[in-house]
Amino acid sequence: QVQLVESGGGLVQAGGSLRLSCAASGTFFSINTMGWYRQAPGKQRELVALITSGKRTTYADSVKGRFTISRDNAKNTVYLQMNSLKPEDTAVYYCNADAVSGSLNVRAYWGQGTQVTVSS
């Protein structure tokens, strides 16, 4: 089993910054791609950013140039630096990780979510 523990959400004014963290723990051989998704009230969950174990990144168009995803492979932790926040960034942010078991099976895990609220 793998646990993902997120931190760093909160309330911030438009134009401000927040940094989210997500640490993976438990029993696994390695972590492949890690990422952040978000879900606003009444909307579907959407991709925000992904980062591979080789640190290749992908971003949603809506956050390009404002958000930066990074990871520390030694700590099995992924970060999301969010700058120039807008009210439309308000959502619950979820961490996702593809964990490889000792038998080399890959399974996706989700964190519990952390609320980000941007006031105008």
Side-chain angles (χ1 to χ4, degrees):
Q1 273 293 58
V2 176
Q3 295 80 41
L4 300 178
V5 179
E6 301 144 338
S7 61
L11 173 65
V12 65
Q13 288 188 331
S17 299
L18 283 174
R19 188 189 194 214
L20 307 182
S21 299
C22 172
S25 63
T27 304
F28 51 87
F29 177 72
S30 64
I31 301 288
N32 288 345
T33 298
M34 303 184 81
W36 291 95
Y37 293 73
R38 67 186 181 187
Q39 187 167 18
K43 295 188 176 181
Q44 290 188 331
R45 190 173 298 189
E46 63 177 5
L47 171 70
V48 175
L50 295 173
I51 185 167
T52 68
S53 57
K55 300 190 179 180
R56 184 177 300 176
T57 59
T58 302
Y59 294 95
D61 287 343
S62 59
V63 306
K64 282 180 180 177
R66 300 188 298 122
F67 291 10
T68 302
I69 190 170
S70 61
R71 65 188 285 172
D72 184 332
N73 288 335
K75 296 181 179 179
N76 295 309
T77 299
V78 63
Y79 306 95
L80 185 68
Q81 178 66 43
M82 305 184 292
N83 298 329
S84 302
L85 282 160
K86 304 175 181 179
E88 50 264 45
D89 294 318
T90 295
V92 177
Y93 283 68
Y94 295 92
C95 175
N96 173 272
D98 291 336
V100 183
S101 70
S103 56
L104 302 183
N105 292 319
V106 181
R107 177 182 167 183
Y109 291 86
W110 292 91
Q112 79 283 359
T114 185
Q115 177 70 45
V116 171
T117 303
V118 185
S119 63
S120 57

